[in-house]
Amino acid sequence: MSSCTSLRCVLLLIACICLPLSAAGNQPPVADAGPDRYIGDQPLTLDGGGSFDPDTTGTLTYTWTQTTGPTVTLLDADTPTPTIQAVQTDTIQSVDIQLIANDGLDDSDPDVVTITIVPAFEDQTVLGLESGPFDPDKPTFI
């Protein structure tokens, strides 16, 4: 009996050609978009540097995408450290930015960072503390 029938050889050849390398053992990378952050009127740099490839298959590439919230400017969205600029309003807003890392073979599961856009306060009222002269007969509240 032949050790490889022609049908078995054809199926084995098809399996070797058609199965992606990831099925043979590549582990997808892990994306880490960093902790939730706050932004005001200054640009904010995000940090996906905690992303990694568990089996070090290849160099990681990064894709940052805004998924919710008011439109923000996202610069260098293909790097581990993109910069965002938001437009402040008079209300608190939030934006979700998603990171997907790729090792050349597989995408990671997405990781999301929530950015809270703090309101712009046009009236910069400064509160002051005024007190009269000390009176030992009156209570002092702190």
Side-chain angles (χ1 to χ4, degrees):
M1 180 182 320
S2 170
S3 64
C4 181
T5 65
S6 53
L7 179 58
R8 281 188 192 161
C9 289
V10 169
L11 291 176
L12 180 61
L13 180 61
I14 290 172
C16 290
I17 293 172
C18 296
L19 286 178
L21 184 57
S22 61
N26 183 55
Q27 295 177 354
V30 176
D32 181 357
D36 292 347
R37 307 283 300 274
Y38 292 89
I39 187 171
D41 61 349
Q42 298 296 313
L44 173 68
T45 300
L46 301 178
D47 186 4
S51 302
F52 65 95
D53 183 8
D55 55 12
T56 62
T57 303
T59 303
L60 289 181
T61 58
Y62 303 85
T63 303
W64 295 85
T65 310
Q66 180 178 348
T67 58
T68 67
T71 302
V72 297
T73 302
L74 185 57
L75 303 171
D76 300 322
D78 60 349
T79 69
T81 54
T83 302
I84 68 168
Q85 177 68 47
V87 176
Q88 289 178 294
T89 64
D90 59 353
T91 60
I92 295 174
Q93 303 175 81
S94 67
V95 174
D96 285 340
I97 309 279
Q98 170 183 279
L99 171 61
I100 295 177
N102 183 288
D103 64 3
L105 298 171
D106 290 314
D107 284 342
S108 67
D109 288 335
D111 190 37
V112 176
V113 59
T114 299
I115 309 299
T116 301
I117 305 169
V118 297
F121 296 104
E122 298 301 324
D123 180 15
Q124 298 293 324
T125 303
V126 177
L127 299 178
L129 177 61
E130 294 180 19
S131 61
F134 178 72
D135 184 346
D137 295 329
K138 293 185 178 177
T140 302
F141 295 100
I142 299 177

